[in-house]
Each structure stands twice: as C-alpha cells, then as structure tokens.
Amino acid sequence: MTTIDTLAVDSVLHGDARDPRPAGRKEWVDVCAYDALLPERGAAALVEGVQLALIRTFDGDVYAISNRDPFSGAYVLSRGIVGSRGDAPTVASPMHKEVFDLRTGVCLDDPEATVEVYEARVRGGRVEVVVT
Amino acid sequence: MSDADMIRADESGESEEPVMTSQPQRRLVVVGNGMVGQRLVEAVQERDLRHTWQITVVGEEPRPAYDRVALTSYLTGTSAEELSVVPEGCYDDEHCVLHLGESAVSIDRDAKTVTTASGRTVGYDALVLATGSSPFVPPIPGADLDGCFVYRTIEDLDAIRERAGTAGAGAVIGGGLLGLEAANALRSLGVETHVVEFAPRLMPAQVDQGGGEMLRRKVEELGLGIHTGTATQTIEALDDGRLRMTFADAEPLDVGMVVFSAGIRPRDQLARESGIQVGERGGIVVDEGCRTSDPAVWAIGECALACGKIYGLVAPGYEMAEVVADRLVEGDAAFAEADMSTKLKLLGVDVASFGDAHAATPGALEVVYADPVAGIYKKLVVTDDASTMLGGVLVGDASAYAALRTMVGQPLPDTPEQVLMVGPATSSLDDAAQVCSCQNVSAGRIRGAISDEGCCDVASVKACTKAGTVCGSCVPLIKTLIAQSGVEVSTALCEHFELSRAELFDVIRVTGLRTFSEIIARHGTGRGCDICKPAVASILASLDSGHVLDGEQAALQDTNDHFLANLQRNGTYSVVPRVPGGELTPEKLIVIGEVARDFGLYTKITGGQRIDLFGARVDQLPAIWKRLVDAGFESGHAYGKALRTVKSCVGSTWCRYGVQDSTSLAIMLELRYRGLRSPHKLKSGVSGCARECAEARSKDFGIIASENGWNLYLGGNGGFNPRHAKQFAVDLSTEDLVRTIDRFLMFYIRTADRLQRTAAWLESLNEEHGDGLEYVRRVIVDDELGICADLDAAMERHVEAYADEWAAVLDDEDKLSRFVSFVNAPDVPDPSIQFVTERDQIRPADPTTDSGPVPIAGPELEVVRR
Ligand code: SRM
Ligand SMILES: Cc1cc2nc3c(=O)[nH]c(=O)nc-3n(C[C@H](O)[C@H](O)[C@H](O)COP(=O)(O)OP(=O)(O)OC[C@H]3O[C@@H](n4cnc5c(N)ncnc54)[C@H](O)[C@@H]3O)c2cc1C
Ligand code: SF4
Ligand code: FES
C-alpha cells in the first residue's frame, strides 16, 4: 500500500494535477476504519501514492477527493471546514477558503477549477476507495 | 521647506520683475491653506489635467489643511495627522507647491505679486484669497489676559488642553453652535463649565425662543451652567492666577479659564489694504463667479462676502472653491445662495435648524410640536398656504433632520402636522434633492452609487461619493437610501443563519445550547460553512465551554484552531509559544533555540515581541509542543481569534524616563486575558511613559503610564486601515484599569460582528449612537444597560477557567490521535512538503523556481525525537 518509494518527487513538487499511478481496472482499496473519521471533518490518506481527502459528512456519507488544493498547490483540502451550500455537501480549502462540491469536485466559487473525485464506500466498518 | 521647493519658488518670481509671456504656464497663487483653500487646489487639479496652471499655496499655519469641522475630536484623541484633509501626493508634483508657516502680508496688484512675511515674493496670473476668518473677541477689558483663549486652530486646542488641567472651572463666552461645542469640550476635559450668552437664549441664530428653552434644559442636564441674557463687562486677574468675570446684572464668576466663541470676523485685511472692495461690516465682496473687484483676484470661503453674506460653514465654501476652479479652466459656474442648515455635533443633545428657521419669509406659517416631558421641540415653517416647506427647528430629536432639510423649497408631501410627527417619506425624495450639504451630493448621485457602483453600505457610499465625510449629519439619510434601494444590507451571518453574530451570541448565551448541531437545527438551516462554524466555535469558546477541541467543537474549527498552529503556504504549520509581555529568560530562549534546531524549523522574531517557529508538519506538532510545555511554555494563541500579545516596554524598572512598571502590567494583562476568544484577534501594549515605545496606541487596548497611574486608549489598529486608539480614561489605578478593560473586552465580544476588530466595531457604534466611544462609556462606566456585573462575572469565569490548550492536548490520547500525516499511514511524512535553504535556514520550496536537483532539506531532515 505504501508505494511512497515509487513516488516521483518531481511531480509532487511541480504540482501536476494528476498524481502518477499505475493504470488498471476498478479496484476497491481498503483505507481505514470508518470510526477513524470524525463526523463533518476530513482526514488525509495516502493510497497507491495518491493523496486523498476523505470526508465524512453529517449524514454519515464518505467522500474522497484529491487532497491537493488547486489554487495553492498545497495538499490540505482534508483540513478544510465541511458543510453545505444549498444542497451540495462541501469542503472549504483552509488556505484561501474556496468551496468545493464534494460530489463533483467542482469549485463553487470558481467553476473553472475542479479537483479529482474518487469513488468511496463503507463496507463492514471500513472505508474503501477506488483510485485507479 | 525642501531644496526643490526653494528652486521652484525662485523660478516663480523671487525677483520683483513679474515673469511674462515666455512661460506657457499660468501662475495661480492661493493664500490660505484651510479647508476651502485646499478644496480649491484639488478642484483645479481635477480639472486642469494638462497643467496649464502652476499652483503656489501660501499657508500661515504650521501644518497643511486639516478638518476644522472635526477640530473638537482632537481633544478626545484624534491626532493632527488624522485630521489632515490633504490627499497623499497633492503637493508632490512640480506643478503644485505648498509653503507652510508663511503668511502673505501684501498684494501688489499692479505688479501682480504677493509678498510673504519671510520676504518671499510670488507672481500670479490669478490670485485666490482663502484666508478664512478669525474668532471675534469682544472688546471687554481683560479679554487679552493670560487664561483667555479662542477656539479655532490645533494650537488653540493645545493651549486650552494644557490650561484645563489646572483650571477647575471655566467659562465659554458665546452660546451659539460653536460655543456649545467648545463648552462640551471643556467639560470633557474635566472643567466645570459655564456658558455666558448675551442673547436671551442659546443658539440664537438657529433656534427660536421655544427651541432655545428646551435646549437650555437639555444642556443644563449635561451639567453645564447656562447664563443667558448676560453681558460680560470685565475680566480681572485674581492673585491666585484665576480670572473674575463681572456682568451687568449678575453675580461675578471666578474661573480658571475663559474661551471666546462669540462669532467670527472674515480675514479681509490683505484685500482691504490693497484697495480691493470689502463689505461695510467686513468680508471681501465677490460676484457670482467669486471674483473680487479686481478681475485677477478671487475670494472664497469664510473671508468672502457672497450674495451679501458671510458663510460660516464649510459647504458653501466648498461650493465657491468649485466655482472658481471651474472659472479658472474657462467655465462659467456660478455661486448661488447656499443652504445654512446646521446641526449641533457632539453635545449629546439633538439640535438642528434648516432653511428659513425664523420664519422670515412674509406670510410664513409656523407649525410647532412640543413635548416638555420628553424634551422635544419641533417646528416647521411653511408658506402661507401650507403647500411648500420653508424651514424648521428640531430640538431633542433631530432624526428627521437630514430628510427634512432636503425638502426645503419643495411641495409638502403631506399635512405639516403629519410631516412633523411622522417625518417625511424618503422614497419621495427627488433625485435632485441634496442629501449631503457639506459635499453637495444629491440623492440621485447616491442612488447611482448604490445601483451602478455596487455600494451596499455607508462606508462604500462614503468612499464613492464623499457624502457623509464632513459633519456626518446626512449619514442616517444615506442609510435610508441604501435600505430603500432594495440592496439588502443584510446582517445575516451567512446562508445558514439569518441572525447576526451579536444576535447569535445572545441566543446561545440565553438558551444554553452548546452544540452546533442543536444550534443550527433550532436557529439555522443546512449544515453550516467556513463562516458560521468558526463563528459559533468562537462564541462557544467565549462562553467557556471547555477545550476548543472537545466533542463536536473540534469539527467547527478552522485548520489553525484545529491543529492549534498556523497554516503556512506549503501546508506546514508555525508554532508560537506565549512570551508574556515579551519578557524571556535566557534558559527559555535556549529551549526555543534547541527545539527549532532539533526539528529543523525556521525561526523569526515576530512583530509581537515573540518567536515564531515555522515549517512543522502536523505530525511533528505534538513532539515539538511536548518539549515546549515541559520547559514551561504554553500556547501563544497565534492561531486563534483571541488575545495575541501585550507588547511592553522596559518601563520604570530600567528606563530612565519610565514613570510606571509597564513590563509587570503587560505581563499581568497578558496572563489575565490569554486564551480569551473574541470576534477577531486582540492586541495590547503598555508603555512606561508618553514616549510610547510599546506603540500602545496602535492596539485594540493600549495603556500609557502617567505620573498618577495609567491612561487607557481603545480601538487602535494596524493592518490595512491603521487607526490610533482613542483616549478613554486617564490616571486610572491598576484595579480600575483592569475592571474597565474587562468590561470593554466582554462587551466587544458580545456585540461585535464576526471578524470585526475593535476599531471597526467602535466605528459601527459611531454610526448607531453618534459617538461610539461615549456610548461604550455609558455602558461600561455608567452601566446604562445594567450589564456591568454580568460582564465582570463573565471575565472572572474566563480567568478562573483558563488552562493551556496545548498541555491539555498532550494529556489526551484521543485529541493527539488527530495529529497524523495520513489516517492510513501515520508515520509517513507528507511527501509533498519540500524545503530549500536560504540564509542558513529552511524555506518552502517554490515549484516554479526551485526545480532541478532535489532540494537539500527534505521532510526527514534533522528531526530528532526525544
Ligand atoms: C508572524 C507575524 C509576522 C512577523 O513575522 O512578525 C504575523 C504573521 C501573520 N499575520 Fe500578522 N503577524 C504578525 C504581527 C502583526 C502585526 C504587528 C503586531 O502585532 O504588533 C500586525 C498589525 C497590528 C494589528 O493587528 O493591528 C498584523 C496584522 C495582521 C492582519 C491585519 C489585521 C487587521 O486588523 O487588518 C492580518 C489578517 C487578519 O488577521 O485577518 C494578519 C494575519 C497574519 C497571519 C496569521 C496570516 C495568516 O492567516 O496566515 C500570519 C501568519 C502568522 C503565523 O505565525 O504563521 N496580521 N500582524 C507577526 C506575529 C506577531 C505575534 O507574535 O503574534
Ligand atoms: C470648532 C469648529 C467647529 C466647526 N463646525 C462646523 C460644522 O459643523 N459645520 C460647518 O459647516 N462648519 C463648521 N465650522 C466652520 C468651518 O470650519 C469653516 O467654515 C471652514 O473651515 C472655512 O474654511 P476656510 O478655508 O474658508 O477657512 P479656514 O479653515 O479658517 O482657513 C483659512 C486659512 O488661511 C490661513 N490664512 C489666513 N490669512 C492668511 C495669510 N495672510 N497668509 C497665509 N495664510 C493665511 C489661516 O491660517 C487658515 O489656515 C467649524 C469651525 C470650528 C472652529
Ligand atoms: S515608553 Fe517611556 S518608559 Fe517605556 S521604554 Fe520608552 S521612554 Fe522608556
Ligand atoms: S451633510 Fe455634512 S457630511 Fe453630509
């Protein structure tokens, strides 16, 4: 699971939108216990070299989006405030407060900007995601 | 004067020979740099973009033009710099030169030159006299004695303030608008004040007998002694340095000082001596273009006699300045008779008069409403058929002033009684109606600013149109126009809460709800956001609901409060231990150095007299803080909307000028208020003497030592819009000081808006209550709202409940478990964090410039875990 040694430092440094990862078919990867996620808060996870923001909303749903804030290039979205705008479940970047729709990854303050969204689910008390 | 000024001055004709045709530029000379002279310069600069005029201004006062209308605020803490009305850069360019501290002494109209007291001779093509007026001192024997003052310049106020310290009692001669303003100022300086007025009532020029009676009662309630119908005969010096005033038919009065405010006399001497026509009773006669009897000479402001009148107000002066500026660029603007409406500022008594207040128009009818119990007197003057508004007087309640004033000369929208009782309907305001008379701004202009320029509050309308920036009496009307425009001036916190922060604070305090889920379920909608969640978190923290990371509260916090550290641009955090008052032992200094070295952190001395350690990853924070807490440090709350630092100077302990122990007080205050959560951050400073090395007046609450105790200043701010704190109390004992600050802070915490610093909060109170600081005094000193005991108790609770947030986290496995890089790989440092070195320390790698070889400092660098 920790493919950290294969990680190209360069691509992290240069802030490519897409993290490098092996191509393949849809595969659910076990990440952590559901209980490890606080209600209405995010946590960062490192899955196959990809930095994810796992976010548990008030209703108990879990979303996974890229942890990289596209505006600052810092990997911090998991540390933002979780809430809602209209019907959309959201997270606000802790850097400069742009708000993202957790369902689509679209930035609601600047629709030009989006972050990658990953499939996530809870199975038997564990959180699983698909990063391929 | 700079060398550059000298050269320019020489060029513009130090020689007697006026320079003629060879120069393409025409020369404009302005005598007097008061409010109106300054306005002229700006009005010419705005119109004359090709610089066809070379402008030279000669001003007698030692400083550039300042806001004389707001002069009195100088006594309550506004500084001379803050009063300045000269825009930055106005005199920086070669086309416009200002000579200060120099009075013009003669005009040679044939040679077209002006000569100053220092011997400078300046040639002109156009000369504008803006010499203003001087206070009239009646020819009473003794009027020139030591202890007699006038009230016109900053220097006058400096002298008055000095004398007031020892005067005991004082008298103001003149019960007009200015006299009452001066009397109130004396009173605020601690002087027992009497007002002596020759006429049978106060403000004889503005109000009628009925209004005058009501005004007298109101003013007496404030504690001023009123002597109307009283003529001062002599002033004699007594042996003890005091002054005895004798009157025609009243007992003599012994006072420590006398201030004359008995009217003004236009300063027309220059014109008079050079043969320019002046009025019988003074004033330089001008035509509708503001030109004097010499076509090359103009006069504007209080020195001018326009339409047969001297205008003692700034608005008509501004109007004249615009007219002359227009004429100087070949326009044909004309000055028409101006509005003389006035409103008393500052006194805490509403008095206003507008239009034909004395019903001088033939056949005019007066409609009067008086309520002696409530102290209200209102009068409207209308035409004989009650169809047109002519003017009026308001005493005790002048809320309708701004709106009524705009209706002078207009058809009455309703019966006069209705208009008097209910006030005019502002929606019927014509676009042409003048809302701000000081800056001549119409209702239409303000509506335009709201609809086309996106102005949605008073501040932005002020910035866009200048309306409301002089005497402020039109601000209520501006508010109404904004409200009517349909622009919602919403006080809602965000889309989830209709309530304002202050309302939400009260709801939470009174209902006892202590979780966000309950609060939003009952009083909001949706699931909250990055605005309301931290605001609720801050309110809960102010109501001392335990640790900021307890239970649901943790999820409400911004990342800074969540990790009890400050987020930096690359996703790392900074660590700021508290260093109360900036005092630090060598041992502790060494610990900070060791921690920084062992964790490879960048260190910097902050602007707040402490040390910031940068570049810590989330997963390093507990280990760093363990070391710091073990060495006796605690959280500095650099991450929270909370007390930051109380800056200190060394004070009387070491400093040879110090008069009190400022360091000890700063430490005491910092320890008292540490951890106090508030709408925005709070900063303080304590200086050991008036030299002010701790910059206390730039702080939310600043303290400056005096010989007898502590002087307290409130509402200072650095940041984007710096403001000096205003003096609130002097010579306080430490106990009184602490109680006053306790209440000030708690009142601010309860009522301010989210992210509103104390300076902005006080300004918002100005808009609601006239004088925000006075209002605060009524609440926290006079206990007008009866909440002081409650505020005191709330602060006591805070002080008792304080515990170090970081120590508490280190003791709590559950809280500690959040300080990991990845939920599924807690020991893997975030690979995206990379540093390079600069000046022997780390800094975040910049992906755009720090490419190429892998940076020298990686996440594992130099980390020693002990
Ligand atoms: C570290 C420091 C600069 C330095 O290297 O010296 C600093 C750093 C930051 N300041 Fe500051 N300010 C620092 C002293 C000041 C001062 C000077 C002072 O306190 O004497 C001021 C002006 C005084 C004032 O506040 O009135 C100041 C006015 C601001 C403002 C503007 C506040 C305003 O009312 O307009 C902000 C922005 C804000 O708070 O919204 C700000 C915000 C910030 C933030 C928190 C920006 C952010 O959100 O990341 C910076 C990060 C702090 C950190 O530790 O990571 N900082 N900042 C200083 C820390 C002092 C301390 O020991 O606590
Ligand atoms: C305490 C106070 C409160 C006031 N409140 C209000 C109010 O609420 N509303 C309102 O409308 N008005 C108010 N006024 C009046 C207002 O301040 C004046 O109408 C306004 O300042 C007039 O501007 P001015 O430029 O004509 O004159 P000034 O501001 O007096 O400026 C004239 C300048 O010319 C200088 N000068 C004179 N002779 C010479 C010379 N020979 N050579 C060089 N320089 C010379 C003077 O030193 C002075 O600096 C108030 C005035 C005072 C004192
Ligand atoms: S403010 Fe006064 S006491 Fe304090 S250091 Fe400066 S000069 Fe000394
Ligand atoms: S009327 Fe004086 S500022 Fe508007």
Side-chain angles (χ1 to χ4, degrees):
Chain A
M1 194 171 65
T2 43
T3 48
I4 174 121
D5 38 355
T6 66
L7 184 109
V9 168
D10 238 32
S11 82
V12 175
L13 253 188
H14 294 267
D16 291 353
R18 213 167 275 265
D19 295 298
R21 57 197 133 111
R25 57 184 187 78
K26 179 160 158 175
E27 197 182 306
W28 289 101
V29 185
D30 174 84
V31 188
C32 63
Y34 176 66
D35 287 347
L37 302 180
L38 294 176
E40 295 207 284
R41 200 75 206 186
L46 190 63
V47 180
E48 319 255 318
V50 183
Q51 276 207 37
L52 300 180
L54 294 182
I55 288 157
R56 171 172 161 185
T57 57
F58 181 70
D59 316 329
D61 295 340
V62 174
Y63 293 89
I65 61 172
S66 165
N67 195 26
R68 183 176 181 276
D69 169 21
F71 296 98
S72 64
Y75 286 71
V76 293
L77 288 185
S78 56
R79 304 180 206 155
I81 285 184
V82 180
S84 64
R85 184 177 289 183
D87 295 331
T90 57
V91 66
S93 167
M95 199 60 80
H96 297 122
K97 313 285 171 192
E98 295 87 357
V99 171
F100 296 87
D101 186 334
L102 293 173
R103 302 167 304 187
T104 60
V106 174
C107 174
L108 298 175
D109 297 315
D110 177 2
E112 302 277 283
T114 48
V115 293
E116 192 85 13
V117 177
Y118 301 88
E119 282 185 75
R121 69 181 182 193
V122 183
R123 275 283 183 286
R126 305 284 303 173
V127 179
E128 299 176 357
V129 297
V130 177
V131 292
T132 48
Chain B
M1 187 178 38
S2 71
D3 288 352
D5 284 0
M6 291 281 252
I7 294 160
R8 268 180 254 132
D10 289 345
E11 278 171 359
S12 54
E14 192 80 86
S15 65
E16 290 294 312
E17 215 57 40
V19 193
M20 304 291 287
T21 46
S22 62
Q23 261 183 334
Q25 260 191 334
R26 298 171 293 173
R27 296 154 311 166
L28 168 63
V29 173
V30 182
V31 179
N33 188 229
M35 296 181 80
V36 173
Q38 176 61 30
R39 178 61 162 255
L40 171 81
V41 169
E42 287 168 43
V44 170
Q45 283 177 335
E46 268 166 31
R47 292 173 172 82
D48 184 32
L49 298 175
R50 287 181 301 114
H51 301 298
T52 65
W53 289 102
Q54 159 71 42
I55 309 173
T56 306
V57 184
V58 184
E60 169 194 84
E61 292 188 67
R63 57 174 61 77
Y66 53 90
D67 188 351
R68 212 178 295 288
V69 172
L71 186 65
T72 298
S73 70
Y74 179 68
L75 291 178
T76 50
T78 307
S79 66
E81 295 74 49
E82 285 167 322
L83 283 178
S84 170
V85 294
V86 178
E88 208 168 305
C90 183
Y91 295 103
D92 284 354
D93 85 78
E94 55 187 314
H95 308 287
C96 194
V97 184
L98 170 65
H99 300 292
L100 289 174
E102 233 177 291
S103 46
V105 289
S106 64
I107 305 172
D108 181 340
R109 293 205 284 136
D110 297 328
K112 291 199 169 174
T113 60
V114 172
T115 302
T116 70
S118 66
R120 181 196 309 272
T121 300
V122 196
Y124 66 83
D125 296 298
L127 171 64
V128 178
L129 301 173
T131 48
S133 61
S134 50
F136 170 62
V137 178
I140 300 169
D144 54 352
L145 283 172
D146 200 24
C148 293
F149 302 90
V150 293
Y151 198 93
R152 177 94 194 163
T153 65
I154 288 188
E155 283 68 30
D156 293 336
L157 264 57
D158 279 331
I160 287 173
R161 193 202 316 250
E162 202 191 316
R163 180 82 175 196
T166 56
V172 173
I173 298 189
L177 204 59
L178 263 184
L180 288 178
E181 187 173 323
N184 196 45
L186 276 197
R187 185 181 66 110
S188 74
L189 291 173
V191 177
E192 178 204 320
T193 306
H194 298 266
V195 177
V196 181
E197 167 58 50
F198 175 67
R201 61 176 183 275
L202 293 173
M203 287 180 63
Q206 285 84 18
V207 306
D208 56 12
Q209 193 62 33
E213 264 322 301
M214 205 69 80
L215 176 59
R216 178 202 184 96
R217 280 183 36 199
K218 287 261 162 190
V219 171
E220 279 174 343
E221 277 169 27
L222 292 172
L224 298 179
I226 304 297
H227 313 259
T228 47
T230 307
T232 312
Q233 277 186 329
T234 61
I235 302 176
E236 294 154 24
L238 300 177
D239 290 343
D240 59 0
R242 294 198 306 154
L243 302 168
R244 168 158 299 165
M245 305 171 70
T246 63
F247 307 106
D249 28 42
E251 289 296 299
L253 189 64
D254 291 351
V255 292
M257 63 193 300
V258 176
V259 176
F260 286 100
S261 184
I264 51 172
R265 291 291 176 265
R267 296 185 65 174
D268 56 12
Q269 193 190 355
L270 270 181
R272 192 185 294 270
E273 285 170 359
S274 57
I276 292 171
Q277 192 192 343
V278 294
E280 233 169 75
R281 300 177 54 210
I284 307 167
V285 176
V286 295
D287 64 13
E288 54 165 27
C290 296
R291 213 185 274 259
T292 68
S293 57
D294 177 339
V297 183
W298 318 68
I300 55 178
E302 285 190 344
C303 64
L305 185 68
C307 312
K309 264 191 207 148
I310 299 284
Y311 289 92
L313 295 171
V314 72
Y318 278 175
E319 186 60 37
M320 294 182 216
E322 298 287 342
V323 167
V324 172
D326 186 66
R327 299 255 170 160
L328 288 175
V329 295
E330 273 57 74
D332 58 2
F335 178 79
E337 195 157 339
D339 184 14
M340 291 285 264
S341 304
T342 38
K343 187 172 172 206
L344 185 61
K345 310 181 300 270
L346 297 166
L347 198 64
V349 177
D350 269 3
V351 195
S353 76
F354 52 95
D356 181 10
H358 292 290
T361 312
L365 297 176
E366 297 174 89
V367 184
V368 176
Y369 166 83
D371 177 351
V373 180
I376 292 169
Y377 174 91
K378 298 182 187 180
K379 180 178 87 174
L380 281 193
V381 180
V382 296
T383 46
D384 51 4
D385 57 355
S387 67
T388 305
M389 165 94 93
L390 293 174
V393 176
L394 304 170
V395 178
D397 171 13
S399 52
Y401 165 67
L404 287 174
R405 190 184 63 191
T406 62
M407 294 172 49
V408 172
Q410 310 269 334
L412 275 176
D414 214 322
T415 62
E417 306 86 79
Q418 193 64 16
V419 174
L420 249 190
M421 300 299 301
V422 200
T426 1
S427 54
S428 58
L429 258 192
D430 201 70
D431 269 351
Q434 191 191 48
V435 170
C436 175
S437 65
C438 290
Q439 296 283 16
N440 188 15
V441 184
S442 66
R445 169 77 187 90
I446 291 173
R447 289 191 179 118
I450 298 168
S451 58
D452 307 338
E453 295 166 66
C455 297
C456 56
D457 53 19
V458 173
S460 53
V461 170
K462 277 184 177 174
C464 256
T465 66
K466 286 188 175 174
T469 54
V470 182
C471 72
S473 60
C474 56
V475 169
L477 191 50
I478 297 176
K479 275 192 189 154
T480 316
L481 287 173
I482 296 173
Q484 280 169 356
S485 69
V487 180
E488 201 165 326
V489 225
S490 171
T491 56
L493 198 55
C494 62
E495 71 168 71
H496 306 103
F497 286 96
E498 287 290 319
L499 304 173
S500 68
R501 181 191 173 279
E503 289 163 343
L504 195 57
F505 193 106
D506 277 342
V507 164
I508 298 177
R509 186 167 61 88
V510 174
T511 58
L513 295 178
R514 289 296 180 269
T515 69
F516 183 78
S517 294
E518 290 171 309
I519 294 166
I520 196 161
R522 297 243 202 117
H523 301 281
T525 54
R527 277 315 300 172
C529 63
D530 56 301
I531 294 172
C532 58
K533 282 187 166 177
V536 168
S538 158
I539 292 172
L540 290 174
S542 299
L543 291 167
D544 51 72
S545 304
H547 197 281
V548 293
L549 298 182
D550 276 347
E552 229 197 21
Q553 275 192 66
L556 307 178
Q557 309 291 357
D558 257 324
T559 187
N560 282 8
D561 281 292
H562 197 73
F563 289 118
L564 305 174
N566 293 52
L567 177 66
Q568 304 298 317
R569 58 187 315 128
N570 65 343
T572 61
Y573 288 80
S574 77
V575 169
V576 190
R578 185 168 296 293
V579 178
E583 188 180 85
L584 191 57
T585 62
E587 282 70 26
K588 282 189 155 178
L589 196 51
I590 289 167
V591 170
I592 292 185
E594 286 175 345
V595 169
R597 185 194 57 208
D598 295 348
F599 288 88
L601 304 174
Y602 166 86
T603 58
K604 182 176 181 301
I605 309 283
T606 71
Q609 293 191 332
R610 49 192 186 171
I611 300 171
D612 204 342
L613 316 176
F614 293 82
R617 296 187 321 264
V618 164
D619 46 307
Q620 291 179 307
L621 289 170
I624 293 170
W625 272 104
K626 175 89 179 66
R627 292 265 303 273
L628 291 170
V629 167
D630 286 348
F633 284 104
E634 53 182 25
S635 167
H637 297 99
Y639 46 80
K641 302 295 175 231
L643 179 81
R644 294 287 164 85
T645 63
V646 182
K647 188 171 174 171
S648 78
C649 74
V650 285
S652 60
T653 320
W654 290 91
C655 177
R656 64 206 157 106
Y657 296 110
V659 293
Q660 306 283 350
D661 182 358
S662 47
T663 316
S664 295
L665 183 75
I667 294 171
M668 188 267 268
L669 293 175
E670 184 157 343
L671 295 180
R672 184 171 179 81
Y673 303 125
R674 64 189 160 177
L676 181 65
R677 302 279 158 155
S678 46
H680 206 316
K681 58 192 169 193
L682 286 167
K683 297 182 178 184
S684 177
V686 185
S687 283
C689 81
R691 284 169 191 76
E692 247 284 70
C693 297
E695 299 172 302
R697 287 196 61 200
S698 68
K699 305 299 182 194
D700 296 278
F701 57 105
I703 298 104
I704 302 176
S706 69
E707 292 284 346
N708 309 314
W710 306 104
N711 295 348
L712 174 61
Y713 296 80
L714 298 177
N717 203 170
F720 179 69
N721 180 8
R723 271 148 298 184
H724 275 139
K726 298 227 159 45
Q727 191 176 77
F728 186 71
V730 296
D731 293 342
L732 294 175
S733 66
T734 305
E735 192 190 334
D736 289 344
L737 173 78
V738 169
R739 190 177 44 243
T740 311
I741 301 173
D742 282 358
R743 292 175 180 176
F744 171 71
L745 293 179
M746 273 300 167
F747 187 45
Y748 161 68
I749 287 172
R750 289 196 176 177
T751 59
D753 218 341
R754 111 178 220 285
L755 297 188
Q756 189 176 42
R757 293 282 299 265
T758 55
W761 173 63
L762 286 173
E763 272 160 25
S764 71
L765 293 180
N766 282 343
E767 263 158 33
E768 269 173 62
H769 299 277
D771 183 337
L773 207 57
E774 270 313 308
Y775 173 68
V776 168
R777 186 188 310 283
R778 297 206 301 271
V779 174
I780 70 171
V781 179
D782 306 339
D783 200 7
E784 193 177 276
L785 302 181
I787 58 171
C788 283
D790 203 24
L791 299 177
D792 291 344
M795 188 60 86
E796 265 330 299
R797 278 198 301 279
H798 163 76
V799 173
E800 269 163 34
Y802 170 81
D804 176 29
E805 275 163 14
W806 259 109
V809 167
L810 295 174
D811 279 345
D812 183 335
E813 276 308 319
D814 195 37
K815 293 194 176 93
L816 273 178
S817 69
R818 293 170 205 156
F819 290 81
V820 293
S821 51
F822 299 105
V823 61
N824 60 336
D827 296 324
V828 179
D830 181 348
S832 72
I833 294 172
Q834 301 285 332
F835 299 108
V836 294
T837 54
E838 186 175 79
R839 292 184 299 276
D840 300 330
Q841 298 204 66
I842 59 161
R843 72 158 168 80
D846 178 346
T848 56
T849 54
D850 297 326
S851 57
V854 177
I856 353 180
E860 287 301 329
L861 181 98
E862 289 188 61
V863 177
V864 183
R865 286 177 203 270
R866 289 190 193 171

